[in-house]
Amino acid sequence: MIYSRVAGTGSYLPKKIITNHDLEKMVDTTDEWIRTRTGIERRHIAADGETTVDLAEHAARQALAAAGVAPAEVDFIAFGTTTPDLVFPNCGTLLQKRLGCRGAPAFSLETACAGFMYALSIADKYVRCGEARRALVIGAETLSRITDWNDRGTAVLFADGAGAVLLEPSAAPGILSTHLHSDGEYKDLLYCGSGVSTGFGSKLAISMVGSEVFKIAVTKLGQVVDETLAANGLERGALDWLVPHQANIRIIQATARKLEMPMERVIVTVQDHGNTSAASVPLALDVAVRDGRIRRGELLLLEAFGGGFTWGSALIRF
Ligand code: UT7
């Protein structure tokens, strides 16, 4: 049986940082409110002209270097983003041109904050069935472009960044399972209400009913982590690390409680990154791999929840 394994990770954050104190000068908010209600202290924002694919290219090259794989060897690109550079070509093929891996299938998918989980799940299937051997999985966003900087309900949350992993075939797992879900009934709680076929008639900005999203996120993430443990015959104590979506420290704490995991075993980057949507999980993973917390052989649970709603998990023997 072939599995896929994470051969390398990478990430990138744009240079410009906006602190909570900077936001105090922009909207009616306080550093204290943002820290206590979300856990966020600062976030990175792309420079003028810096695009999602620009961020992704840095992350991808890092993941490839970590895996010891040349860019031209990549034979599959799955790219999660809701902030693409262009309507088309998709971000996967734009990245492919930069990397020079011509001919390989490359695509992007727009499942909001769960974009990386969906991309990872698809890439895992292609590696497992033998159709891909060097699969690049990206989560990258320039959410600052669809943030209303006058809306304190969202401006304090969202940010920019990119994360990447390179998957390779392996005789041993590897990715043990992925679970994906969506429920379009919740569209009105979190959406960006402008687009191509609606003629860009309304404002290109994120709308969110935060407190409702919060409650449903906690419930659905609790269910998907239970589903993941049950599908793998695991007890709660079996995990080494939780690598959660970084939307709100209180949502992360609720999932950790559900898993009976101490916060020391949870990778938390929300204070430095804010909510980078599809980039959030691979960014957190790369931070913890590079600082030496996550080591080879350890058992990781990744999860994310976002607009749609879409949500999912991955259980990984790293
Ligand atoms: O990644 C995709 C999924 N997204 C999420 O998971 C986000 C989920 N939601 C959340 O993280 C939280 O709901 C928020 C951080 C967005 C909001 O926190 P909350 O504790 O749910 O606050 P709330 O919306 O219930 O608002 C409480 C109060 C309100 O004032 P009143 O009505 O009590 O007077 C808001 O107007 O806080 C006010 N408020 C703010 N005050 C200062 C809302 N935003 C701000 C702000 N600064 N930025």
PDB file of all heavy atoms in Angstrom, residues 27-30 33-34 37-38 113 152-153 156-158 190 208-214 217 245-248 250-251 275 277 305-307, ligand 1:
ATOM      1  N   VAL A  27      -9.743  52.131  13.239  1.00  0.00           N
ATOM      2  CA  VAL A  27     -11.153  51.842  13.558  1.00  0.00           C
ATOM      3  C   VAL A  27     -11.362  51.975  15.067  1.00  0.00           C
ATOM      4  O   VAL A  27     -10.395  52.050  15.835  1.00  0.00           O
ATOM      5  CB  VAL A  27     -11.574  50.413  13.119  1.00  0.00           C
ATOM      6  CG1 VAL A  27     -11.784  50.321  11.630  1.00  0.00           C
ATOM      7  CG2 VAL A  27     -10.586  49.356  13.598  1.00  0.00           C
ATOM      8  N   ASP A  28     -12.642  51.959  15.470  1.00  0.00           N
ATOM      9  CA  ASP A  28     -12.998  52.118  16.885  1.00  0.00           C
ATOM     10  C   ASP A  28     -12.772  50.792  17.608  1.00  0.00           C
ATOM     11  O   ASP A  28     -13.684  49.976  17.761  1.00  0.00           O
ATOM     12  CB  ASP A  28     -14.468  52.547  16.973  1.00  0.00           C
ATOM     13  CG  ASP A  28     -14.916  52.738  18.407  1.00  0.00           C
ATOM     14  OD1 ASP A  28     -14.038  52.833  19.295  1.00  0.00           O
ATOM     15  OD2 ASP A  28     -16.139  52.765  18.639  1.00  0.00           O
ATOM     16  N   THR A  29     -11.528  50.552  18.021  1.00  0.00           N
ATOM     17  CA  THR A  29     -11.187  49.312  18.697  1.00  0.00           C
ATOM     18  C   THR A  29     -10.056  49.577  19.684  1.00  0.00           C
ATOM     19  O   THR A  29      -9.513  50.684  19.742  1.00  0.00           O
ATOM     20  CB  THR A  29     -10.777  48.233  17.671  1.00  0.00           C
ATOM     21  OG1 THR A  29     -10.737  46.965  18.321  1.00  0.00           O
ATOM     22  CG2 THR A  29      -9.417  48.504  17.041  1.00  0.00           C
ATOM     23  N   THR A  30      -9.709  48.558  20.465  1.00  0.00           N
ATOM     24  CA  THR A  30      -8.572  48.685  21.377  1.00  0.00           C
ATOM     25  C   THR A  30      -7.721  47.432  21.310  1.00  0.00           C
ATOM     26  O   THR A  30      -8.224  46.333  21.010  1.00  0.00           O
ATOM     27  CB  THR A  30      -9.050  48.845  22.842  1.00  0.00           C
ATOM     28  OG1 THR A  30      -9.787  47.669  23.195  1.00  0.00           O
ATOM     29  CG2 THR A  30      -9.881  50.094  23.046  1.00  0.00           C
ATOM     30  N   TRP A  33      -9.228  44.828  23.590  1.00  0.00           N
ATOM     31  CA  TRP A  33     -10.378  44.070  23.056  1.00  0.00           C
ATOM     32  C   TRP A  33      -9.883  43.001  22.101  1.00  0.00           C
ATOM     33  O   TRP A  33     -10.291  41.846  22.179  1.00  0.00           O
ATOM     34  CB  TRP A  33     -11.371  44.997  22.335  1.00  0.00           C
ATOM     35  CG  TRP A  33     -12.674  44.305  21.992  1.00  0.00           C
ATOM     36  CD1 TRP A  33     -13.825  44.325  22.712  1.00  0.00           C
ATOM     37  CD2 TRP A  33     -12.933  43.461  20.847  1.00  0.00           C
ATOM     38  NE1 TRP A  33     -14.793  43.556  22.100  1.00  0.00           N
ATOM     39  CE2 TRP A  33     -14.269  43.007  20.953  1.00  0.00           C
ATOM     40  CE3 TRP A  33     -12.178  43.032  19.755  1.00  0.00           C
ATOM     41  CZ2 TRP A  33     -14.865  42.161  20.011  1.00  0.00           C
ATOM     42  CZ3 TRP A  33     -12.769  42.184  18.811  1.00  0.00           C
ATOM     43  CH2 TRP A  33     -14.095  41.764  18.947  1.00  0.00           C
ATOM     44  N   ILE A  34      -9.001  43.376  21.188  1.00  0.00           N
ATOM     45  CA  ILE A  34      -8.552  42.415  20.158  1.00  0.00           C
ATOM     46  C   ILE A  34      -7.820  41.250  20.824  1.00  0.00           C
ATOM     47  O   ILE A  34      -8.066  40.079  20.505  1.00  0.00           O
ATOM     48  CB  ILE A  34      -7.649  43.096  19.103  1.00  0.00           C
ATOM     49  CG1 ILE A  34      -8.376  44.270  18.430  1.00  0.00           C
ATOM     50  CG2 ILE A  34      -7.217  42.082  18.044  1.00  0.00           C
ATOM     51  CD1 ILE A  34      -7.482  45.133  17.545  1.00  0.00           C
ATOM     52  N   ARG A  37     -10.408  39.090  23.026  1.00  0.00           N
ATOM     53  CA  ARG A  37     -11.482  38.403  22.287  1.00  0.00           C
ATOM     54  C   ARG A  37     -10.966  37.498  21.177  1.00  0.00           C
ATOM     55  O   ARG A  37     -11.682  36.613  20.720  1.00  0.00           O
ATOM     56  CB  ARG A  37     -12.458  39.415  21.666  1.00  0.00           C
ATOM     57  CG  ARG A  37     -13.041  40.402  22.647  1.00  0.00           C
ATOM     58  CD  ARG A  37     -13.888  39.715  23.675  1.00  0.00           C
ATOM     59  NE  ARG A  37     -15.263  39.645  23.282  1.00  0.00           N
ATOM     60  CZ  ARG A  37     -16.294  39.896  24.094  1.00  0.00           C
ATOM     61  NH1 ARG A  37     -16.075  40.218  25.356  1.00  0.00           N
ATOM     62  NH2 ARG A  37     -17.517  39.806  23.654  1.00  0.00           N
ATOM     63  N   THR A  38      -9.733  37.730  20.699  1.00  0.00           N
ATOM     64  CA  THR A  38      -9.232  36.937  19.559  1.00  0.00           C
ATOM     65  C   THR A  38      -7.859  36.307  19.783  1.00  0.00           C
ATOM     66  O   THR A  38      -7.527  35.333  19.121  1.00  0.00           O
ATOM     67  CB  THR A  38      -9.112  37.799  18.279  1.00  0.00           C
ATOM     68  OG1 THR A  38      -7.975  38.674  18.407  1.00  0.00           O
ATOM     69  CG2 THR A  38     -10.358  38.633  18.028  1.00  0.00           C
ATOM     70  N   CYS A 113     -11.206  29.243   4.410  1.00  0.00           N
ATOM     71  CA  CYS A 113     -10.186  28.890   5.410  1.00  0.00           C
ATOM     72  C   CYS A 113      -9.859  27.408   5.403  1.00  0.00           C
ATOM     73  O   CYS A 113      -8.826  27.003   5.933  1.00  0.00           O
ATOM     74  CB  CYS A 113     -10.632  29.318   6.801  1.00  0.00           C
ATOM     75  SG  CYS A 113     -10.912  31.079   6.915  1.00  0.00           S
ATOM     76  N   ARG A 152     -14.705  47.323  11.954  1.00  0.00           N
ATOM     77  CA  ARG A 152     -13.909  46.806  13.076  1.00  0.00           C
ATOM     78  C   ARG A 152     -14.194  45.324  13.341  1.00  0.00           C
ATOM     79  O   ARG A 152     -13.379  44.628  13.952  1.00  0.00           O
ATOM     80  CB  ARG A 152     -14.149  47.616  14.346  1.00  0.00           C
ATOM     81  CG  ARG A 152     -15.535  47.448  14.944  1.00  0.00           C
ATOM     82  CD  ARG A 152     -15.656  48.217  16.235  1.00  0.00           C
ATOM     83  NE  ARG A 152     -16.963  48.006  16.849  1.00  0.00           N
ATOM     84  CZ  ARG A 152     -17.296  48.420  18.040  1.00  0.00           C
ATOM     85  NH1 ARG A 152     -16.435  49.123  18.756  1.00  0.00           N
ATOM     86  NH2 ARG A 152     -18.476  48.185  18.532  1.00  0.00           N
ATOM     87  N   GLY A 153     -15.359  44.849  12.893  1.00  0.00           N
ATOM     88  CA  GLY A 153     -15.715  43.441  13.105  1.00  0.00           C
ATOM     89  C   GLY A 153     -14.859  42.474  12.322  1.00  0.00           C
ATOM     90  O   GLY A 153     -14.745  41.296  12.698  1.00  0.00           O
ATOM     91  N   VAL A 156      -9.852  43.665  12.205  1.00  0.00           N
ATOM     92  CA  VAL A 156      -8.872  43.283  13.234  1.00  0.00           C
ATOM     93  C   VAL A 156      -8.472  41.815  13.107  1.00  0.00           C
ATOM     94  O   VAL A 156      -7.566  41.355  13.815  1.00  0.00           O
ATOM     95  CB  VAL A 156      -9.432  43.553  14.659  1.00  0.00           C
ATOM     96  CG1 VAL A 156      -9.810  45.015  14.814  1.00  0.00           C
ATOM     97  CG2 VAL A 156     -10.626  42.657  14.988  1.00  0.00           C
ATOM     98  N   LEU A 157      -9.156  41.062  12.234  1.00  0.00           N
ATOM     99  CA  LEU A 157      -8.968  39.604  12.205  1.00  0.00           C
ATOM    100  C   LEU A 157      -8.063  39.111  11.080  1.00  0.00           C
ATOM    101  O   LEU A 157      -7.206  38.251  11.292  1.00  0.00           O
ATOM    102  CB  LEU A 157     -10.321  38.901  12.041  1.00  0.00           C
ATOM    103  CG  LEU A 157     -11.399  39.222  13.072  1.00  0.00           C
ATOM    104  CD1 LEU A 157     -12.705  38.532  12.682  1.00  0.00           C
ATOM    105  CD2 LEU A 157     -10.952  38.773  14.460  1.00  0.00           C
ATOM    106  N   PHE A 158      -8.282  39.634   9.858  1.00  0.00           N
ATOM    107  CA  PHE A 158      -7.750  38.956   8.680  1.00  0.00           C
ATOM    108  C   PHE A 158      -6.387  39.493   8.260  1.00  0.00           C
ATOM    109  O   PHE A 158      -6.054  40.652   8.518  1.00  0.00           O
ATOM    110  CB  PHE A 158      -8.760  39.033   7.539  1.00  0.00           C
ATOM    111  CG  PHE A 158     -10.044  38.315   7.877  1.00  0.00           C
ATOM    112  CD1 PHE A 158     -11.222  39.015   8.098  1.00  0.00           C
ATOM    113  CD2 PHE A 158     -10.055  36.939   8.026  1.00  0.00           C
ATOM    114  CE1 PHE A 158     -12.396  38.351   8.423  1.00  0.00           C
ATOM    115  CE2 PHE A 158     -11.228  36.265   8.359  1.00  0.00           C
ATOM    116  CZ  PHE A 158     -12.403  36.969   8.564  1.00  0.00           C
ATOM    117  N   LEU A 190     -20.920  34.123   6.653  1.00  0.00           N
ATOM    118  CA  LEU A 190     -19.526  34.475   6.330  1.00  0.00           C
ATOM    119  C   LEU A 190     -19.350  34.374   4.822  1.00  0.00           C
ATOM    120  O   LEU A 190     -19.405  33.275   4.265  1.00  0.00           O
ATOM    121  CB  LEU A 190     -18.566  33.516   7.056  1.00  0.00           C
ATOM    122  CG  LEU A 190     -17.068  33.675   6.781  1.00  0.00           C
ATOM    123  CD1 LEU A 190     -16.586  35.085   7.051  1.00  0.00           C
ATOM    124  CD2 LEU A 190     -16.265  32.679   7.629  1.00  0.00           C
ATOM    125  N   MET A 208     -19.222  39.129   7.908  1.00  0.00           N
ATOM    126  CA  MET A 208     -19.248  38.009   8.864  1.00  0.00           C
ATOM    127  C   MET A 208     -20.132  38.337  10.056  1.00  0.00           C
ATOM    128  O   MET A 208     -20.072  39.435  10.601  1.00  0.00           O
ATOM    129  CB  MET A 208     -17.827  37.709   9.353  1.00  0.00           C
ATOM    130  CG  MET A 208     -17.775  36.533  10.305  1.00  0.00           C
ATOM    131  SD  MET A 208     -16.114  35.969  10.659  1.00  0.00           S
ATOM    132  CE  MET A 208     -15.538  37.268  11.711  1.00  0.00           C
ATOM    133  N   VAL A 209     -20.957  37.364  10.453  1.00  0.00           N
ATOM    134  CA  VAL A 209     -21.681  37.451  11.721  1.00  0.00           C
ATOM    135  C   VAL A 209     -20.829  36.667  12.722  1.00  0.00           C
ATOM    136  O   VAL A 209     -21.018  35.460  12.937  1.00  0.00           O
ATOM    137  CB  VAL A 209     -23.107  36.855  11.602  1.00  0.00           C
ATOM    138  CG1 VAL A 209     -23.878  37.093  12.894  1.00  0.00           C
ATOM    139  CG2 VAL A 209     -23.844  37.423  10.403  1.00  0.00           C
ATOM    140  N   GLY A 210     -19.849  37.369  13.302  1.00  0.00           N
ATOM    141  CA  GLY A 210     -18.773  36.710  14.044  1.00  0.00           C
ATOM    142  C   GLY A 210     -19.235  35.774  15.142  1.00  0.00           C
ATOM    143  O   GLY A 210     -18.747  34.639  15.245  1.00  0.00           O
ATOM    144  N   SER A 211     -20.184  36.235  15.969  1.00  0.00           N
ATOM    145  CA  SER A 211     -20.549  35.417  17.129  1.00  0.00           C
ATOM    146  C   SER A 211     -21.230  34.117  16.705  1.00  0.00           C
ATOM    147  O   SER A 211     -21.037  33.069  17.326  1.00  0.00           O
ATOM    148  CB  SER A 211     -21.456  36.216  18.071  1.00  0.00           C
ATOM    149  OG  SER A 211     -22.553  36.714  17.343  1.00  0.00           O
ATOM    150  N   GLU A 212     -22.000  34.149  15.588  1.00  0.00           N
ATOM    151  CA  GLU A 212     -22.629  32.914  15.085  1.00  0.00           C
ATOM    152  C   GLU A 212     -21.575  31.984  14.486  1.00  0.00           C
ATOM    153  O   GLU A 212     -21.604  30.769  14.704  1.00  0.00           O
ATOM    154  CB  GLU A 212     -23.688  33.262  14.017  1.00  0.00           C
ATOM    155  CG  GLU A 212     -24.919  33.932  14.586  1.00  0.00           C
ATOM    156  CD  GLU A 212     -25.577  33.096  15.678  1.00  0.00           C
ATOM    157  OE1 GLU A 212     -25.843  31.904  15.430  1.00  0.00           O
ATOM    158  OE2 GLU A 212     -25.798  33.617  16.780  1.00  0.00           O
ATOM    159  N   VAL A 213     -20.647  32.563  13.725  1.00  0.00           N
ATOM    160  CA  VAL A 213     -19.583  31.748  13.135  1.00  0.00           C
ATOM    161  C   VAL A 213     -18.794  31.065  14.252  1.00  0.00           C
ATOM    162  O   VAL A 213     -18.473  29.875  14.166  1.00  0.00           O
ATOM    163  CB  VAL A 213     -18.635  32.617  12.264  1.00  0.00           C
ATOM    164  CG1 VAL A 213     -17.481  31.779  11.729  1.00  0.00           C
ATOM    165  CG2 VAL A 213     -19.391  33.261  11.118  1.00  0.00           C
ATOM    166  N   PHE A 214     -18.530  31.812  15.300  1.00  0.00           N
ATOM    167  CA  PHE A 214     -17.774  31.292  16.437  1.00  0.00           C
ATOM    168  C   PHE A 214     -18.410  30.012  16.982  1.00  0.00           C
ATOM    169  O   PHE A 214     -17.766  28.974  17.133  1.00  0.00           O
ATOM    170  CB  PHE A 214     -17.714  32.365  17.528  1.00  0.00           C
ATOM    171  CG  PHE A 214     -16.851  32.019  18.704  1.00  0.00           C
ATOM    172  CD1 PHE A 214     -15.575  32.537  18.824  1.00  0.00           C
ATOM    173  CD2 PHE A 214     -17.303  31.165  19.697  1.00  0.00           C
ATOM    174  CE1 PHE A 214     -14.777  32.212  19.901  1.00  0.00           C
ATOM    175  CE2 PHE A 214     -16.517  30.834  20.776  1.00  0.00           C
ATOM    176  CZ  PHE A 214     -15.248  31.359  20.884  1.00  0.00           C
ATOM    177  N   ALA A 217     -18.323  27.112  14.491  1.00  0.00           N
ATOM    178  CA  ALA A 217     -16.946  26.636  14.321  1.00  0.00           C
ATOM    179  C   ALA A 217     -16.555  25.708  15.471  1.00  0.00           C
ATOM    180  O   ALA A 217     -15.989  24.627  15.255  1.00  0.00           O
ATOM    181  CB  ALA A 217     -15.979  27.824  14.238  1.00  0.00           C
ATOM    182  N   HIS A 245      -6.571  25.638  12.791  1.00  0.00           N
ATOM    183  CA  HIS A 245      -6.799  26.898  12.075  1.00  0.00           C
ATOM    184  C   HIS A 245      -6.677  28.044  13.079  1.00  0.00           C
ATOM    185  O   HIS A 245      -7.181  27.958  14.200  1.00  0.00           O
ATOM    186  CB  HIS A 245      -8.190  26.875  11.450  1.00  0.00           C
ATOM    187  CG  HIS A 245      -8.553  28.139  10.750  1.00  0.00           C
ATOM    188  ND1 HIS A 245      -7.687  28.816   9.918  1.00  0.00           N
ATOM    189  CD2 HIS A 245      -9.707  28.865  10.757  1.00  0.00           C
ATOM    190  CE1 HIS A 245      -8.287  29.886   9.440  1.00  0.00           C
ATOM    191  NE2 HIS A 245      -9.504  29.955   9.936  1.00  0.00           N
ATOM    192  N   GLN A 246      -6.016  29.118  12.651  1.00  0.00           N
ATOM    193  CA  GLN A 246      -5.715  30.229  13.561  1.00  0.00           C
ATOM    194  C   GLN A 246      -6.694  31.379  13.320  1.00  0.00           C
ATOM    195  O   GLN A 246      -6.359  32.369  12.674  1.00  0.00           O
ATOM    196  CB  GLN A 246      -4.269  30.697  13.344  1.00  0.00           C
ATOM    197  CG  GLN A 246      -3.237  29.578  13.357  1.00  0.00           C
ATOM    198  CD  GLN A 246      -2.944  29.031  14.741  1.00  0.00           C
ATOM    199  OE1 GLN A 246      -2.930  29.781  15.720  1.00  0.00           O
ATOM    200  NE2 GLN A 246      -2.702  27.730  14.850  1.00  0.00           N
ATOM    201  N   ALA A 247      -7.921  31.213  13.825  1.00  0.00           N
ATOM    202  CA  ALA A 247      -8.925  32.276  13.661  1.00  0.00           C
ATOM    203  C   ALA A 247      -9.115  33.046  14.958  1.00  0.00           C
ATOM    204  O   ALA A 247      -9.263  34.263  14.952  1.00  0.00           O
ATOM    205  CB  ALA A 247     -10.254  31.694  13.197  1.00  0.00           C
ATOM    206  N   ASN A 248      -9.112  32.318  16.060  1.00  0.00           N
ATOM    207  CA  ASN A 248      -9.417  32.941  17.352  1.00  0.00           C
ATOM    208  C   ASN A 248      -8.886  32.019  18.447  1.00  0.00           C
ATOM    209  O   ASN A 248      -9.190  30.819  18.441  1.00  0.00           O
ATOM    210  CB  ASN A 248     -10.945  33.110  17.476  1.00  0.00           C
ATOM    211  CG  ASN A 248     -11.336  33.894  18.703  1.00  0.00           C
ATOM    212  OD1 ASN A 248     -10.823  33.658  19.793  1.00  0.00           O
ATOM    213  ND2 ASN A 248     -12.253  34.830  18.530  1.00  0.00           N
ATOM    214  N   ARG A 250      -9.788  31.591  21.334  1.00  0.00           N
ATOM    215  CA  ARG A 250     -10.846  30.935  22.130  1.00  0.00           C
ATOM    216  C   ARG A 250     -11.418  29.718  21.400  1.00  0.00           C
ATOM    217  O   ARG A 250     -11.799  28.740  22.036  1.00  0.00           O
ATOM    218  CB  ARG A 250     -11.938  31.949  22.484  1.00  0.00           C
ATOM    219  CG  ARG A 250     -11.424  33.044  23.433  1.00  0.00           C
ATOM    220  CD  ARG A 250     -12.513  34.015  23.814  1.00  0.00           C
ATOM    221  NE  ARG A 250     -12.952  34.818  22.699  1.00  0.00           N
ATOM    222  CZ  ARG A 250     -14.227  35.104  22.404  1.00  0.00           C
ATOM    223  NH1 ARG A 250     -15.202  34.649  23.164  1.00  0.00           N
ATOM    224  NH2 ARG A 250     -14.529  35.849  21.369  1.00  0.00           N
ATOM    225  N   ILE A 251     -11.448  29.764  20.065  1.00  0.00           N
ATOM    226  CA  ILE A 251     -11.884  28.575  19.303  1.00  0.00           C
ATOM    227  C   ILE A 251     -10.811  27.485  19.433  1.00  0.00           C
ATOM    228  O   ILE A 251     -11.111  26.307  19.631  1.00  0.00           O
ATOM    229  CB  ILE A 251     -12.121  28.926  17.812  1.00  0.00           C
ATOM    230  CG1 ILE A 251     -13.235  29.956  17.679  1.00  0.00           C
ATOM    231  CG2 ILE A 251     -12.453  27.664  17.012  1.00  0.00           C
ATOM    232  CD1 ILE A 251     -13.485  30.441  16.249  1.00  0.00           C
ATOM    233  N   ASN A 275      -5.755  35.852  11.211  1.00  0.00           N
ATOM    234  CA  ASN A 275      -6.422  34.792  10.442  1.00  0.00           C
ATOM    235  C   ASN A 275      -6.027  34.917   8.975  1.00  0.00           C
ATOM    236  O   ASN A 275      -6.506  35.808   8.273  1.00  0.00           O
ATOM    237  CB  ASN A 275      -7.939  34.905  10.616  1.00  0.00           C
ATOM    238  CG  ASN A 275      -8.691  33.800   9.897  1.00  0.00           C
ATOM    239  OD1 ASN A 275      -8.130  33.081   9.078  1.00  0.00           O
ATOM    240  ND2 ASN A 275      -9.962  33.674  10.214  1.00  0.00           N
ATOM    241  N   SER A 277      -6.629  32.580   6.731  1.00  0.00           N
ATOM    242  CA  SER A 277      -7.505  31.701   5.948  1.00  0.00           C
ATOM    243  C   SER A 277      -6.761  30.439   5.506  1.00  0.00           C
ATOM    244  O   SER A 277      -6.214  29.725   6.337  1.00  0.00           O
ATOM    245  CB  SER A 277      -8.089  32.493   4.772  1.00  0.00           C
ATOM    246  OG  SER A 277      -9.005  31.724   4.040  1.00  0.00           O
ATOM    247  N   PHE A 305     -11.634  25.579   9.608  1.00  0.00           N
ATOM    248  CA  PHE A 305     -13.060  25.878   9.444  1.00  0.00           C
ATOM    249  C   PHE A 305     -13.195  27.246   8.778  1.00  0.00           C
ATOM    250  O   PHE A 305     -12.505  28.183   9.176  1.00  0.00           O
ATOM    251  CB  PHE A 305     -13.726  25.923  10.828  1.00  0.00           C
ATOM    252  CG  PHE A 305     -15.191  26.248  10.773  1.00  0.00           C
ATOM    253  CD1 PHE A 305     -16.129  25.242  10.668  1.00  0.00           C
ATOM    254  CD2 PHE A 305     -15.625  27.565  10.801  1.00  0.00           C
ATOM    255  CE1 PHE A 305     -17.489  25.534  10.603  1.00  0.00           C
ATOM    256  CE2 PHE A 305     -16.983  27.870  10.732  1.00  0.00           C
ATOM    257  CZ  PHE A 305     -17.921  26.847  10.639  1.00  0.00           C
ATOM    258  N   GLY A 306     -14.072  27.352   7.791  1.00  0.00           N
ATOM    259  CA  GLY A 306     -14.215  28.662   7.148  1.00  0.00           C
ATOM    260  C   GLY A 306     -15.485  28.843   6.360  1.00  0.00           C
ATOM    261  O   GLY A 306     -16.403  28.017   6.431  1.00  0.00           O
ATOM    262  N   GLY A 307     -15.520  29.913   5.588  1.00  0.00           N
ATOM    263  CA  GLY A 307     -16.711  30.329   4.851  1.00  0.00           C
ATOM    264  C   GLY A 307     -17.264  29.217   3.979  1.00  0.00           C
ATOM    265  O   GLY A 307     -16.537  28.421   3.412  1.00  0.00           O
TER     266      GLY A 307
HETATM  267  O1  UT7 B   1     -11.748  31.716   9.796  1.00  0.00           O
HETATM  268  C1  UT7 B   1     -13.068  31.695   9.425  1.00  0.00           C
HETATM  269  C2  UT7 B   1     -13.940  31.558  10.566  1.00  0.00           C
HETATM  270  N1  UT7 B   1     -14.005  32.779  11.316  1.00  0.00           N
HETATM  271  C3  UT7 B   1     -14.003  32.693  12.630  1.00  0.00           C
HETATM  272  O2  UT7 B   1     -13.824  31.630  13.154  1.00  0.00           O
HETATM  273  C4  UT7 B   1     -14.316  33.925  13.419  1.00  0.00           C
HETATM  274  C5  UT7 B   1     -15.290  33.554  14.504  1.00  0.00           C
HETATM  275  N2  UT7 B   1     -15.729  34.651  15.318  1.00  0.00           N
HETATM  276  C6  UT7 B   1     -14.920  35.267  16.213  1.00  0.00           C
HETATM  277  O3  UT7 B   1     -13.754  35.007  16.281  1.00  0.00           O
HETATM  278  C7  UT7 B   1     -15.555  36.247  17.177  1.00  0.00           C
HETATM  279  O4  UT7 B   1     -16.946  36.116  17.110  1.00  0.00           O
HETATM  280  C8  UT7 B   1     -15.139  37.721  16.915  1.00  0.00           C
HETATM  281  C9  UT7 B   1     -13.705  37.941  17.326  1.00  0.00           C
HETATM  282  C10 UT7 B   1     -15.335  38.074  15.459  1.00  0.00           C
HETATM  283  C11 UT7 B   1     -16.023  38.650  17.758  1.00  0.00           C
HETATM  284  O5  UT7 B   1     -15.916  38.300  19.128  1.00  0.00           O
HETATM  285  P1  UT7 B   1     -17.219  38.111  20.018  1.00  0.00           P
HETATM  286  O6  UT7 B   1     -16.758  37.848  21.384  1.00  0.00           O
HETATM  287  O7  UT7 B   1     -18.082  37.079  19.350  1.00  0.00           O
HETATM  288  O8  UT7 B   1     -17.874  39.546  19.970  1.00  0.00           O
HETATM  289  P2  UT7 B   1     -19.311  39.985  19.418  1.00  0.00           P
HETATM  290  O9  UT7 B   1     -19.363  39.941  17.935  1.00  0.00           O
HETATM  291  O10 UT7 B   1     -20.387  39.278  20.187  1.00  0.00           O
HETATM  292  O11 UT7 B   1     -19.310  41.501  19.874  1.00  0.00           O
HETATM  293  C12 UT7 B   1     -19.224  41.875  21.265  1.00  0.00           C
HETATM  294  C13 UT7 B   1     -19.100  43.378  21.352  1.00  0.00           C
HETATM  295  C14 UT7 B   1     -20.142  44.113  20.514  1.00  0.00           C
HETATM  296  O12 UT7 B   1     -20.509  45.279  21.225  1.00  0.00           O
HETATM  297  P3  UT7 B   1     -21.859  45.315  22.118  1.00  0.00           P
HETATM  298  O13 UT7 B   1     -22.970  45.023  21.162  1.00  0.00           O
HETATM  299  O14 UT7 B   1     -21.682  44.253  23.152  1.00  0.00           O
HETATM  300  O15 UT7 B   1     -21.855  46.717  22.646  1.00  0.00           O
HETATM  301  C15 UT7 B   1     -19.378  44.514  19.281  1.00  0.00           C
HETATM  302  O16 UT7 B   1     -19.910  45.652  18.658  1.00  0.00           O
HETATM  303  O17 UT7 B   1     -17.818  43.779  20.837  1.00  0.00           O
HETATM  304  C16 UT7 B   1     -18.010  44.784  19.851  1.00  0.00           C
HETATM  305  N3  UT7 B   1     -16.936  44.690  18.885  1.00  0.00           N
HETATM  306  C17 UT7 B   1     -15.766  45.317  19.029  1.00  0.00           C
HETATM  307  N4  UT7 B   1     -15.297  46.147  19.986  1.00  0.00           N
HETATM  308  C18 UT7 B   1     -14.050  46.611  19.839  1.00  0.00           C
HETATM  309  C19 UT7 B   1     -16.898  43.960  17.746  1.00  0.00           C
HETATM  310  N5  UT7 B   1     -15.715  44.109  17.136  1.00  0.00           N
HETATM  311  C20 UT7 B   1     -14.987  44.949  17.920  1.00  0.00           C
HETATM  312  C21 UT7 B   1     -13.687  45.484  17.819  1.00  0.00           C
HETATM  313  N6  UT7 B   1     -13.265  46.300  18.801  1.00  0.00           N
HETATM  314  N7  UT7 B   1     -12.857  45.180  16.801  1.00  0.00           N
END
